[in-house]
Amino acid sequence: MIESQRHSYHLVDPSPWPISGSLGALATTVGGVMYMHPFQGGATLLSLGLIFILYTMFVWWRDVLRESTLEGHHTKAVQLGLRYGFIPFIVSEVMFLFAFFRASSHSSLAPTVEIGGIWPPKGIGVLDPREIPFLNTPILLSSGAAVTWAHHAILAGKEKRAVYALVATVSLALVFTGFQGMEYYQAPFTISDSIYGSTFFLATGFHGFHVIIGTLFLIICGIRQYLGHLTKEHHVGFEAAAWYWHFVDVVRLFPFVSIYWWGGI
Amino acid sequence: MWRRVVSCSTSAQFQAVGSCRSSPSLNLTRRFLISSASTPSTPPPFQRSPNLSSPASGLKKVEDIMPIATGHEREELQAELQGRDILEVNHPVGPFGTKEAPAIVKSYYDRRIVGCPGVEGEDEHDVVWFWLEKGKPHECPVCSQYFKLEVVGPGGPPDGHH
């Protein structure tokens, strides 16, 4: 720092990934619109865009790992900045999901005459909250405990145990996702079935999408822990994944109570 | 946020810029600012300070704390273990600068931006910023604190070295 840059921050090298991500996003959005309207080639453009975005994420974050673990650019100041930045990101995700839960409450607290003036709407066969949803909620909560176990293992320098704990976390997460998927498949109602279906699948669907993202993040952390990247002094990536996972965990409680439980009474 | 290094005992001791104001025996010393970032003295939220107390046997090495450290991270850790401030150029310490004993500001190049906040306590004023150049000592227009540049690096213009 003294000889080479005289400050403890990381000024990144020029990189093509921001523009490639933007082009991917452009292709995704335009392709998506084309697909949803009667235009040729929409599906192709949409899939190309999504693949491009995923590729950009892979190479961008691979570069971050290279710059941090392999090149040592992430000093204490940089680590702090990353932590401080990730929190507003999680808050923004909370806002996003909040919108869908609000939509659900908006429709369910004052049900309109078109659905019979009652909630759940007339004719909707709701899922019994005491069955799969009641099982899935503690599965997710246990995975939250497992990720805390992993964190303590990392802090204590028990590297193997940390890998096991992360494997446990991811396994529970995959079981959760599997059960949710099975439930979606077997549900007696679809997304087109009145406002109930729309709000149900959008709220739980986006939550599930975030679970999948969180699971992927934790898998990457598991791989990195196995490779020895994470040390007890420095594991910002893992902390971010754990925070994200706790957010996903806590958010699960809201739809469980308001949509599954209260919404089915 | 600026770090305050308060040495013990007499009022002739140095005192650097700090965020806290009170200092029982040293309320007559002055301070000056450098326009660059520095680390606060207490760890901010979410920052874990590593436990760097050396064992009784001797100085710890980077390998004991974090073997895979490399690059700037390693430099930072090494300096912390040796107890030296790697960015000490940005934290000048000293009594009020006068013509006979000017406040020395270190710099890698021939000129540096410096800010004078005045005397500690009642006589402090809004920060006055100025370029301090090699061979041209500068006097603060408000409180007349006298500054002199000391070049500790390669010298030359600060923007001509990329």
mmCIF file of all heavy atoms in Angstrom, chain A residues 1-2 4-6 69-72 74-76 80 83-84 87 228-229 231-235 239, chain B residues 37 44-48 50-51 65-66 68 70-73 75-76 80 84 86-87 90 108-109:
data_model
loop_
_atom_site.group_PDB
_atom_site.id
_atom_site.type_symbol
_atom_site.label_atom_id
_atom_site.label_comp_id
_atom_site.label_asym_id
_atom_site.label_seq_id
_atom_site.Cartn_x
_atom_site.Cartn_y
_atom_site.Cartn_z
ATOM 1 N N MET A 1 0.824 -1.202 0.000
ATOM 2 C CA MET A 1 0.000 0.000 0.000
ATOM 3 C C MET A 1 0.850 1.240 0.000
ATOM 4 O O MET A 1 0.518 2.209 -0.645
ATOM 5 C CB MET A 1 -0.878 0.015 1.252
ATOM 6 C CG MET A 1 -2.253 -0.472 0.947
ATOM 7 S SD MET A 1 -3.344 -0.334 2.319
ATOM 8 C CE MET A 1 -2.461 -1.007 3.637
ATOM 9 N N ILE A 2 1.926 1.214 0.736
ATOM 10 C CA ILE A 2 2.719 2.437 0.815
ATOM 11 C C ILE A 2 3.356 2.721 -0.522
ATOM 12 O O ILE A 2 3.205 3.791 -1.093
ATOM 13 C CB ILE A 2 3.814 2.299 1.891
ATOM 14 C CG1 ILE A 2 3.190 2.415 3.261
ATOM 15 C CG2 ILE A 2 4.846 3.387 1.718
ATOM 16 C CD1 ILE A 2 4.190 2.415 4.379
ATOM 17 N N SER A 4 2.852 1.216 -3.476
ATOM 18 C CA SER A 4 2.109 1.079 -4.726
ATOM 19 C C SER A 4 0.886 1.974 -4.820
ATOM 20 O O SER A 4 0.634 2.520 -5.874
ATOM 21 C CB SER A 4 1.694 -0.372 -4.907
ATOM 22 O OG SER A 4 1.197 -0.873 -3.696
ATOM 23 N N GLN A 5 0.124 2.147 -3.762
ATOM 24 C CA GLN A 5 -1.049 2.979 -3.975
ATOM 25 C C GLN A 5 -1.336 3.983 -2.864
ATOM 26 O O GLN A 5 -2.105 4.901 -3.089
ATOM 27 C CB GLN A 5 -2.292 2.122 -4.229
ATOM 28 C CG GLN A 5 -2.667 1.191 -3.129
ATOM 29 C CD GLN A 5 -3.951 0.429 -3.465
ATOM 30 O OE1 GLN A 5 -4.266 0.189 -4.625
ATOM 31 N NE2 GLN A 5 -4.690 0.041 -2.461
ATOM 32 N N ARG A 6 -0.757 3.840 -1.706
ATOM 33 C CA ARG A 6 -0.868 4.849 -0.647
ATOM 34 C C ARG A 6 -2.278 5.080 -0.124
ATOM 35 O O ARG A 6 -2.566 6.111 0.443
ATOM 36 C CB ARG A 6 -0.269 6.197 -1.082
ATOM 37 C CG ARG A 6 1.246 6.197 -0.980
ATOM 38 C CD ARG A 6 1.819 7.487 -1.494
ATOM 39 N NE ARG A 6 1.824 7.569 -2.925
ATOM 40 C CZ ARG A 6 2.631 6.921 -3.728
ATOM 41 N NH1 ARG A 6 3.529 6.122 -3.228
ATOM 42 N NH2 ARG A 6 2.569 7.070 -5.035
ATOM 43 N N THR A 69 -9.082 -12.990 -2.907
ATOM 44 C CA THR A 69 -8.339 -14.079 -2.284
ATOM 45 C C THR A 69 -6.968 -14.259 -2.921
ATOM 46 O O THR A 69 -5.972 -14.453 -2.233
ATOM 47 C CB THR A 69 -9.119 -15.397 -2.415
ATOM 48 O OG1 THR A 69 -10.426 -15.181 -1.919
ATOM 49 C CG2 THR A 69 -8.447 -16.503 -1.640
ATOM 50 N N LEU A 70 -6.922 -14.165 -4.254
ATOM 51 C CA LEU A 70 -5.665 -14.497 -4.911
ATOM 52 C C LEU A 70 -4.737 -13.307 -5.069
ATOM 53 O O LEU A 70 -3.549 -13.482 -5.259
ATOM 54 C CB LEU A 70 -5.952 -15.125 -6.284
ATOM 55 C CG LEU A 70 -6.865 -16.355 -6.236
ATOM 56 C CD1 LEU A 70 -7.075 -16.928 -7.620
ATOM 57 C CD2 LEU A 70 -6.278 -17.417 -5.329
ATOM 58 N N GLU A 71 -5.258 -12.093 -5.044
ATOM 59 C CA GLU A 71 -4.384 -10.929 -5.236
ATOM 60 C C GLU A 71 -4.309 -10.041 -4.004
ATOM 61 O O GLU A 71 -3.502 -9.136 -3.954
ATOM 62 C CB GLU A 71 -4.855 -10.086 -6.426
ATOM 63 C CG GLU A 71 -4.688 -10.776 -7.758
ATOM 64 C CD GLU A 71 -5.157 -9.904 -8.920
ATOM 65 O OE1 GLU A 71 -5.280 -8.681 -8.742
ATOM 66 O OE2 GLU A 71 -5.408 -10.459 -9.997
ATOM 67 N N GLY A 72 -5.181 -10.269 -3.029
ATOM 68 C CA GLY A 72 -5.068 -9.533 -1.771
ATOM 69 C C GLY A 72 -5.500 -8.081 -1.800
ATOM 70 O O GLY A 72 -5.036 -7.277 -1.011
ATOM 71 N N HIS A 74 -8.430 -6.940 -1.030
ATOM 72 C CA HIS A 74 -9.498 -6.627 -0.072
ATOM 73 C C HIS A 74 -8.947 -6.385 1.313
ATOM 74 O O HIS A 74 -8.950 -7.259 2.167
ATOM 75 C CB HIS A 74 -10.538 -7.754 -0.051
ATOM 76 C CG HIS A 74 -11.446 -7.720 -1.238
ATOM 77 N ND1 HIS A 74 -12.643 -8.369 -1.272
ATOM 78 C CD2 HIS A 74 -11.329 -7.090 -2.420
ATOM 79 C CE1 HIS A 74 -13.220 -8.148 -2.449
ATOM 80 N NE2 HIS A 74 -12.442 -7.373 -3.154
ATOM 81 N N THR A 75 -8.492 -5.147 1.540
ATOM 82 C CA THR A 75 -8.021 -4.750 2.857
ATOM 83 C C THR A 75 -9.215 -4.585 3.795
ATOM 84 O O THR A 75 -10.371 -4.744 3.379
ATOM 85 C CB THR A 75 -7.292 -3.406 2.760
ATOM 86 O OG1 THR A 75 -8.227 -2.450 2.252
ATOM 87 C CG2 THR A 75 -6.109 -3.493 1.827
ATOM 88 N N LYS A 76 -8.923 -4.222 5.043
ATOM 89 C CA LYS A 76 -10.013 -4.082 6.017
ATOM 90 C C LYS A 76 -11.039 -3.059 5.549
ATOM 91 O O LYS A 76 -12.246 -3.235 5.725
ATOM 92 C CB LYS A 76 -9.444 -3.618 7.367
ATOM 93 C CG LYS A 76 -8.677 -4.682 8.098
ATOM 94 C CD LYS A 76 -9.597 -5.478 9.003
ATOM 95 C CE LYS A 76 -8.912 -6.646 9.649
ATOM 96 N NZ LYS A 76 -8.508 -7.687 8.753
ATOM 97 N N LEU A 80 -15.010 -3.771 4.865
ATOM 98 C CA LEU A 80 -16.061 -3.028 5.555
ATOM 99 C C LEU A 80 -17.040 -2.454 4.551
ATOM 100 O O LEU A 80 -18.265 -2.528 4.716
ATOM 101 C CB LEU A 80 -15.417 -1.907 6.363
ATOM 102 C CG LEU A 80 -16.281 -1.226 7.375
ATOM 103 C CD1 LEU A 80 -16.686 -2.221 8.434
ATOM 104 C CD2 LEU A 80 -15.536 -0.069 8.005
ATOM 105 N N ARG A 83 -19.382 -5.076 3.279
ATOM 106 C CA ARG A 83 -20.428 -5.423 4.238
ATOM 107 C C ARG A 83 -21.484 -4.339 4.274
ATOM 108 O O ARG A 83 -22.689 -4.607 4.239
ATOM 109 C CB ARG A 83 -19.829 -5.607 5.636
ATOM 110 C CG ARG A 83 -19.090 -6.883 5.798
ATOM 111 C CD ARG A 83 -18.872 -7.181 7.277
ATOM 112 N NE ARG A 83 -17.780 -8.107 7.408
ATOM 113 C CZ ARG A 83 -16.543 -7.781 7.721
ATOM 114 N NH1 ARG A 83 -16.250 -6.531 8.001
ATOM 115 N NH2 ARG A 83 -15.602 -8.695 7.791
ATOM 116 N N TYR A 84 -21.014 -3.089 4.357
ATOM 117 C CA TYR A 84 -21.948 -1.973 4.391
ATOM 118 C C TYR A 84 -22.791 -1.917 3.133
ATOM 119 O O TYR A 84 -23.917 -1.453 3.155
ATOM 120 C CB TYR A 84 -21.189 -0.653 4.508
ATOM 121 C CG TYR A 84 -20.755 -0.287 5.900
ATOM 122 C CD1 TYR A 84 -19.816 0.715 6.097
ATOM 123 C CD2 TYR A 84 -21.271 -0.918 7.012
ATOM 124 C CE1 TYR A 84 -19.404 1.068 7.370
ATOM 125 C CE2 TYR A 84 -20.869 -0.566 8.277
ATOM 126 C CZ TYR A 84 -19.937 0.432 8.449
ATOM 127 O OH TYR A 84 -19.529 0.789 9.705
ATOM 128 N N ILE A 87 -25.767 -4.840 2.935
ATOM 129 C CA ILE A 87 -26.970 -4.654 3.745
ATOM 130 C C ILE A 87 -28.049 -3.873 3.001
ATOM 131 O O ILE A 87 -29.207 -4.300 2.967
ATOM 132 C CB ILE A 87 -26.601 -4.015 5.089
ATOM 133 C CG1 ILE A 87 -25.833 -5.060 5.883
ATOM 134 C CG2 ILE A 87 -27.825 -3.580 5.844
ATOM 135 C CD1 ILE A 87 -25.216 -4.527 7.113
ATOM 136 N N GLY A 228 -10.277 -23.762 0.713
ATOM 137 C CA GLY A 228 -9.418 -23.049 1.652
ATOM 138 C C GLY A 228 -9.364 -21.546 1.462
ATOM 139 O O GLY A 228 -8.461 -20.887 1.958
ATOM 140 N N HIS A 229 -10.342 -20.971 0.746
ATOM 141 C CA HIS A 229 -10.312 -19.530 0.526
ATOM 142 C C HIS A 229 -10.692 -18.757 1.774
ATOM 143 O O HIS A 229 -10.260 -17.630 1.966
ATOM 144 C CB HIS A 229 -11.333 -19.125 -0.552
ATOM 145 C CG HIS A 229 -10.945 -19.545 -1.914
ATOM 146 N ND1 HIS A 229 -11.609 -19.114 -3.028
ATOM 147 C CD2 HIS A 229 -9.974 -20.361 -2.369
ATOM 148 C CE1 HIS A 229 -11.060 -19.648 -4.098
ATOM 149 N NE2 HIS A 229 -10.076 -20.406 -3.725
ATOM 150 N N THR A 231 -10.899 -17.708 5.587
ATOM 151 C CA THR A 231 -10.122 -17.809 6.816
ATOM 152 C C THR A 231 -10.934 -17.203 7.942
ATOM 153 O O THR A 231 -11.912 -16.507 7.698
ATOM 154 C CB THR A 231 -8.804 -17.039 6.703
ATOM 155 O OG1 THR A 231 -9.126 -15.650 6.655
ATOM 156 C CG2 THR A 231 -8.040 -17.421 5.479
ATOM 157 N N LYS A 232 -10.484 -17.424 9.161
ATOM 158 C CA LYS A 232 -11.301 -16.920 10.257
ATOM 159 C C LYS A 232 -11.208 -15.413 10.389
ATOM 160 O O LYS A 232 -12.027 -14.793 11.036
ATOM 161 C CB LYS A 232 -10.948 -17.614 11.567
ATOM 162 C CG LYS A 232 -9.520 -17.510 12.055
ATOM 163 C CD LYS A 232 -9.465 -18.023 13.465
ATOM 164 C CE LYS A 232 -8.565 -19.211 13.572
ATOM 165 N NZ LYS A 232 -7.386 -19.033 14.380
ATOM 166 N N GLU A 233 -10.192 -14.833 9.758
ATOM 167 C CA GLU A 233 -10.123 -13.374 9.792
ATOM 168 C C GLU A 233 -10.946 -12.737 8.684
ATOM 169 O O GLU A 233 -11.379 -11.612 8.786
ATOM 170 C CB GLU A 233 -8.671 -12.926 9.595
ATOM 171 C CG GLU A 233 -7.697 -13.523 10.558
ATOM 172 C CD GLU A 233 -7.960 -13.040 11.949
ATOM 173 O OE1 GLU A 233 -8.428 -11.893 12.080
ATOM 174 O OE2 GLU A 233 -7.737 -13.802 12.898
ATOM 175 N N HIS A 234 -11.092 -13.452 7.607
ATOM 176 C CA HIS A 234 -11.551 -12.799 6.384
ATOM 177 C C HIS A 234 -12.469 -13.743 5.627
ATOM 178 O O HIS A 234 -12.010 -14.657 4.958
ATOM 179 C CB HIS A 234 -10.307 -12.445 5.544
ATOM 180 C CG HIS A 234 -10.630 -11.663 4.310
ATOM 181 N ND1 HIS A 234 -9.643 -11.070 3.535
ATOM 182 C CD2 HIS A 234 -11.790 -11.360 3.704
ATOM 183 C CE1 HIS A 234 -10.208 -10.450 2.527
ATOM 184 N NE2 HIS A 234 -11.507 -10.609 2.606
ATOM 185 N N HIS A 235 -13.772 -13.500 5.727
ATOM 186 C CA HIS A 235 -14.711 -14.336 4.987
ATOM 187 C C HIS A 235 -15.968 -13.542 4.689
ATOM 188 O O HIS A 235 -17.070 -13.935 5.056
ATOM 189 C CB HIS A 235 -15.056 -15.633 5.743
ATOM 190 C CG HIS A 235 -15.385 -15.413 7.183
ATOM 191 N ND1 HIS A 235 -14.451 -15.539 8.185
ATOM 192 C CD2 HIS A 235 -16.536 -15.076 7.791
ATOM 193 C CE1 HIS A 235 -15.026 -15.284 9.338
ATOM 194 N NE2 HIS A 235 -16.290 -15.006 9.143
ATOM 195 N N GLU A 239 -20.071 -14.305 4.986
ATOM 196 C CA GLU A 239 -20.974 -13.511 5.836
ATOM 197 C C GLU A 239 -22.141 -13.000 5.020
ATOM 198 O O GLU A 239 -23.291 -13.019 5.474
ATOM 199 C CB GLU A 239 -20.214 -12.328 6.430
ATOM 200 C CG GLU A 239 -19.338 -12.722 7.581
ATOM 201 C CD GLU A 239 -18.441 -11.585 8.026
ATOM 202 O OE1 GLU A 239 -18.750 -10.422 7.742
ATOM 203 O OE2 GLU A 239 -17.419 -11.879 8.655
ATOM 204 N N ALA B 37 -8.147 9.983 3.565
ATOM 205 C CA ALA B 37 -8.894 9.145 4.503
ATOM 206 C C ALA B 37 -7.970 8.577 5.552
ATOM 207 O O ALA B 37 -6.786 8.380 5.330
ATOM 208 C CB ALA B 37 -9.562 8.012 3.747
ATOM 209 N N PRO B 44 -15.422 0.433 13.551
ATOM 210 C CA PRO B 44 -16.818 0.752 13.219
ATOM 211 C C PRO B 44 -17.672 -0.504 13.266
ATOM 212 O O PRO B 44 -17.133 -1.605 13.324
ATOM 213 C CB PRO B 44 -16.725 1.296 11.788
ATOM 214 C CG PRO B 44 -15.436 0.814 11.275
ATOM 215 C CD PRO B 44 -14.533 0.565 12.437
ATOM 216 N N PRO B 45 -18.998 -0.357 13.197
ATOM 217 C CA PRO B 45 -19.832 -1.561 13.234
ATOM 218 C C PRO B 45 -19.504 -2.493 12.079
ATOM 219 O O PRO B 45 -19.132 -2.057 11.021
ATOM 220 C CB PRO B 45 -21.265 -1.014 13.072
ATOM 221 C CG PRO B 45 -21.170 0.421 13.143
ATOM 222 C CD PRO B 45 -19.769 0.860 13.202
ATOM 223 N N PHE B 46 -19.669 -3.780 12.300
ATOM 224 C CA PHE B 46 -19.424 -4.832 11.332
ATOM 225 C C PHE B 46 -17.958 -5.054 11.054
ATOM 226 O O PHE B 46 -17.621 -5.860 10.203
ATOM 227 C CB PHE B 46 -20.133 -4.563 9.986
ATOM 228 C CG PHE B 46 -21.612 -4.515 10.117
ATOM 229 C CD1 PHE B 46 -22.283 -3.322 9.997
ATOM 230 C CD2 PHE B 46 -22.339 -5.643 10.416
ATOM 231 C CE1 PHE B 46 -23.644 -3.260 10.147
ATOM 232 C CE2 PHE B 46 -23.709 -5.590 10.548
ATOM 233 C CZ PHE B 46 -24.358 -4.389 10.416
ATOM 234 N N GLN B 47 -17.076 -4.340 11.703
ATOM 235 C CA GLN B 47 -15.669 -4.640 11.461
ATOM 236 C C GLN B 47 -15.124 -5.375 12.664
ATOM 237 O O GLN B 47 -15.199 -4.885 13.772
ATOM 238 C CB GLN B 47 -14.881 -3.365 11.232
ATOM 239 C CG GLN B 47 -13.421 -3.668 10.993
ATOM 240 C CD GLN B 47 -12.710 -2.513 10.347
ATOM 241 O OE1 GLN B 47 -13.188 -1.396 10.384
ATOM 242 N NE2 GLN B 47 -11.564 -2.754 9.763
ATOM 243 N N ARG B 48 -14.618 -6.523 12.396
ATOM 244 C CA ARG B 48 -14.044 -7.309 13.472
ATOM 245 C C ARG B 48 -12.560 -7.000 13.523
ATOM 246 O O ARG B 48 -11.859 -7.122 12.533
ATOM 247 C CB ARG B 48 -14.262 -8.782 13.150
ATOM 248 C CG ARG B 48 -14.013 -9.721 14.302
ATOM 249 C CD ARG B 48 -14.099 -11.172 13.831
ATOM 250 N NE ARG B 48 -15.201 -11.407 12.954
ATOM 251 C CZ ARG B 48 -15.115 -11.762 11.678
ATOM 252 N NH1 ARG B 48 -13.949 -11.928 11.124
ATOM 253 N NH2 ARG B 48 -16.185 -11.943 10.939
ATOM 254 N N PRO B 50 -8.918 -8.023 14.394
ATOM 255 C CA PRO B 50 -8.257 -9.290 14.721
ATOM 256 C C PRO B 50 -7.528 -9.183 16.051
ATOM 257 O O PRO B 50 -7.082 -8.113 16.446
ATOM 258 C CB PRO B 50 -7.276 -9.482 13.573
ATOM 259 C CG PRO B 50 -7.080 -8.145 13.001
ATOM 260 C CD PRO B 50 -8.307 -7.343 13.277
ATOM 261 N N ASN B 51 -7.445 -10.273 16.730
ATOM 262 C CA ASN B 51 -6.766 -10.283 18.016
ATOM 263 C C ASN B 51 -5.274 -10.396 17.754
ATOM 264 O O ASN B 51 -4.751 -11.457 17.445
ATOM 265 C CB ASN B 51 -7.254 -11.485 18.832
ATOM 266 C CG ASN B 51 -6.563 -11.541 20.161
ATOM 267 O OD1 ASN B 51 -5.936 -10.585 20.582
ATOM 268 N ND2 ASN B 51 -6.678 -12.676 20.832
ATOM 269 N N ILE B 65 -1.450 -15.584 11.648
ATOM 270 C CA ILE B 65 -2.803 -15.037 11.620
ATOM 271 C C ILE B 65 -3.551 -15.528 10.400
ATOM 272 O O ILE B 65 -4.632 -16.067 10.477
ATOM 273 C CB ILE B 65 -2.761 -13.491 11.586
ATOM 274 C CG1 ILE B 65 -1.920 -12.958 12.736
ATOM 275 C CG2 ILE B 65 -4.150 -12.919 11.588
ATOM 276 C CD1 ILE B 65 -2.610 -12.952 14.047
ATOM 277 N N MET B 66 -2.947 -15.318 9.233
ATOM 278 C CA MET B 66 -3.685 -15.649 8.021
ATOM 279 C C MET B 66 -2.679 -16.053 6.945
ATOM 280 O O MET B 66 -2.163 -15.221 6.224
ATOM 281 C CB MET B 66 -4.467 -14.417 7.558
ATOM 282 C CG MET B 66 -5.577 -14.751 6.608
ATOM 283 S SD MET B 66 -6.545 -13.303 6.249
ATOM 284 C CE MET B 66 -6.659 -13.443 4.499
ATOM 285 N N ILE B 68 -2.859 -17.397 4.077
ATOM 286 C CA ILE B 68 -3.070 -17.199 2.646
ATOM 287 C C ILE B 68 -3.140 -15.724 2.261
ATOM 288 O O ILE B 68 -3.457 -15.402 1.138
ATOM 289 C CB ILE B 68 -4.357 -17.909 2.151
ATOM 290 C CG1 ILE B 68 -5.599 -17.266 2.767
ATOM 291 C CG2 ILE B 68 -4.305 -19.372 2.468
ATOM 292 C CD1 ILE B 68 -6.867 -17.700 2.080
ATOM 293 N N THR B 70 -2.200 -12.186 0.968
ATOM 294 C CA THR B 70 -1.292 -11.805 -0.102
ATOM 295 C C THR B 70 -1.558 -10.359 -0.480
ATOM 296 O O THR B 70 -2.581 -9.789 -0.133
ATOM 297 C CB THR B 70 -1.468 -12.746 -1.321
ATOM 298 O OG1 THR B 70 -0.604 -12.307 -2.354
ATOM 299 C CG2 THR B 70 -2.876 -12.716 -1.823
ATOM 300 N N GLY B 71 -0.642 -9.760 -1.183
ATOM 301 C CA GLY B 71 -0.854 -8.419 -1.737
ATOM 302 C C GLY B 71 -1.055 -7.365 -0.660
ATOM 303 O O GLY B 71 -0.411 -7.363 0.384
ATOM 304 N N HIS B 72 -1.976 -6.446 -0.930
ATOM 305 C CA HIS B 72 -2.210 -5.333 -0.015
ATOM 306 C C HIS B 72 -2.704 -5.805 1.335
ATOM 307 O O HIS B 72 -2.376 -5.226 2.369
ATOM 308 C CB HIS B 72 -3.254 -4.374 -0.618
ATOM 309 C CG HIS B 72 -2.759 -3.667 -1.832
ATOM 310 N ND1 HIS B 72 -1.485 -3.180 -1.953
ATOM 311 C CD2 HIS B 72 -3.374 -3.356 -2.989
ATOM 312 C CE1 HIS B 72 -1.338 -2.607 -3.133
ATOM 313 N NE2 HIS B 72 -2.466 -2.705 -3.784
ATOM 314 N N GLU B 73 -3.501 -6.869 1.321
ATOM 315 C CA GLU B 73 -4.021 -7.383 2.590
ATOM 316 C C GLU B 73 -2.868 -7.828 3.478
ATOM 317 O O GLU B 73 -2.853 -7.579 4.685
ATOM 318 C CB GLU B 73 -4.960 -8.554 2.308
ATOM 319 C CG GLU B 73 -5.907 -8.839 3.436
ATOM 320 C CD GLU B 73 -6.833 -9.988 3.150
ATOM 321 O OE1 GLU B 73 -6.824 -10.516 2.024
ATOM 322 O OE2 GLU B 73 -7.565 -10.368 4.072
ATOM 323 N N GLU B 75 0.262 -6.781 3.292
ATOM 324 C CA GLU B 75 0.994 -5.589 3.728
ATOM 325 C C GLU B 75 0.334 -4.970 4.957
ATOM 326 O O GLU B 75 0.983 -4.593 5.918
ATOM 327 C CB GLU B 75 0.971 -4.550 2.597
ATOM 328 C CG GLU B 75 2.213 -4.470 1.762
ATOM 329 C CD GLU B 75 2.121 -3.322 0.775
ATOM 330 O OE1 GLU B 75 1.360 -3.449 -0.194
ATOM 331 O OE2 GLU B 75 2.803 -2.318 0.995
ATOM 332 N N GLU B 76 -0.995 -4.851 4.855
ATOM 333 C CA GLU B 76 -1.752 -4.220 5.938
ATOM 334 C C GLU B 76 -1.607 -5.024 7.224
ATOM 335 O O GLU B 76 -1.369 -4.468 8.303
ATOM 336 C CB GLU B 76 -3.226 -4.156 5.529
ATOM 337 C CG GLU B 76 -4.086 -3.328 6.437
ATOM 338 C CD GLU B 76 -5.551 -3.427 6.027
ATOM 339 O OE1 GLU B 76 -6.030 -4.545 5.788
ATOM 340 O OE2 GLU B 76 -6.201 -2.388 5.969
ATOM 341 N N GLU B 80 0.251 -4.024 10.773
ATOM 342 C CA GLU B 80 -0.501 -4.032 12.027
ATOM 343 C C GLU B 80 0.214 -4.861 13.077
ATOM 344 O O GLU B 80 0.256 -4.524 14.252
ATOM 345 C CB GLU B 80 -1.881 -4.623 11.763
ATOM 346 C CG GLU B 80 -2.975 -3.954 12.532
ATOM 347 C CD GLU B 80 -4.350 -4.344 12.026
ATOM 348 O OE1 GLU B 80 -4.474 -4.732 10.851
ATOM 349 O OE2 GLU B 80 -5.281 -4.273 12.824
ATOM 350 N N ARG B 84 3.043 -0.679 13.329
ATOM 351 C CA ARG B 84 3.212 0.613 12.673
ATOM 352 C C ARG B 84 2.010 0.896 11.789
ATOM 353 O O ARG B 84 1.326 0.013 11.308
ATOM 354 C CB ARG B 84 4.511 0.653 11.875
ATOM 355 C CG ARG B 84 4.480 -0.014 10.549
ATOM 356 C CD ARG B 84 5.849 -0.104 9.937
ATOM 357 N NE ARG B 84 5.873 -1.275 9.091
ATOM 358 C CZ ARG B 84 5.554 -1.271 7.788
ATOM 359 N NH1 ARG B 84 5.240 -0.137 7.196
ATOM 360 N NH2 ARG B 84 5.569 -2.379 7.088
ATOM 361 N N ILE B 86 0.545 2.021 8.515
ATOM 362 C CA ILE B 86 1.054 1.999 7.155
ATOM 363 C C ILE B 86 0.737 3.302 6.428
ATOM 364 O O ILE B 86 1.385 3.663 5.458
ATOM 365 C CB ILE B 86 0.462 0.784 6.413
ATOM 366 C CG1 ILE B 86 1.399 0.286 5.337
ATOM 367 C CG2 ILE B 86 -0.888 1.079 5.850
ATOM 368 C CD1 ILE B 86 0.959 -1.019 4.756
ATOM 369 N N LEU B 87 -0.262 4.017 6.888
ATOM 370 C CA LEU B 87 -0.640 5.268 6.245
ATOM 371 C C LEU B 87 -0.333 6.445 7.161
ATOM 372 O O LEU B 87 -1.077 7.409 7.212
ATOM 373 C CB LEU B 87 -2.130 5.256 5.893
ATOM 374 C CG LEU B 87 -2.531 4.301 4.784
ATOM 375 C CD1 LEU B 87 -4.044 4.233 4.676
ATOM 376 C CD2 LEU B 87 -1.972 4.760 3.450
ATOM 377 N N ASN B 90 -0.636 10.191 6.477
ATOM 378 C CA ASN B 90 -1.897 10.914 6.488
ATOM 379 C C ASN B 90 -2.322 11.363 7.875
ATOM 380 O O ASN B 90 -3.366 11.990 8.013
ATOM 381 C CB ASN B 90 -3.016 10.031 5.928
ATOM 382 C CG ASN B 90 -2.757 9.677 4.477
ATOM 383 O OD1 ASN B 90 -2.003 10.360 3.799
ATOM 384 N ND2 ASN B 90 -3.363 8.606 4.022
ATOM 385 N N TYR B 108 4.467 12.492 -0.346
ATOM 386 C CA TYR B 108 5.268 11.725 -1.294
ATOM 387 C C TYR B 108 5.685 12.576 -2.474
ATOM 388 O O TYR B 108 6.663 12.266 -3.143
ATOM 389 C CB TYR B 108 4.472 10.529 -1.821
ATOM 390 C CG TYR B 108 4.324 9.451 -0.783
ATOM 391 C CD1 TYR B 108 3.089 9.154 -0.250
ATOM 392 C CD2 TYR B 108 5.422 8.746 -0.340
ATOM 393 C CE1 TYR B 108 2.951 8.182 0.713
ATOM 394 C CE2 TYR B 108 5.292 7.772 0.625
ATOM 395 C CZ TYR B 108 4.062 7.499 1.149
ATOM 396 O OH TYR B 108 3.934 6.545 2.094
ATOM 397 N N TYR B 109 4.905 13.614 -2.741
ATOM 398 C CA TYR B 109 5.196 14.444 -3.907
ATOM 399 C C TYR B 109 5.543 15.850 -3.445
ATOM 400 O O TYR B 109 5.697 16.122 -2.262
ATOM 401 C CB TYR B 109 3.990 14.450 -4.853
ATOM 402 C CG TYR B 109 3.661 13.083 -5.375
ATOM 403 C CD1 TYR B 109 2.485 12.447 -5.018
ATOM 404 C CD2 TYR B 109 4.547 12.415 -6.223
ATOM 405 C CE1 TYR B 109 2.193 11.193 -5.495
ATOM 406 C CE2 TYR B 109 4.258 11.150 -6.696
ATOM 407 C CZ TYR B 109 3.081 10.547 -6.324
ATOM 408 O OH TYR B 109 2.788 9.300 -6.798
#
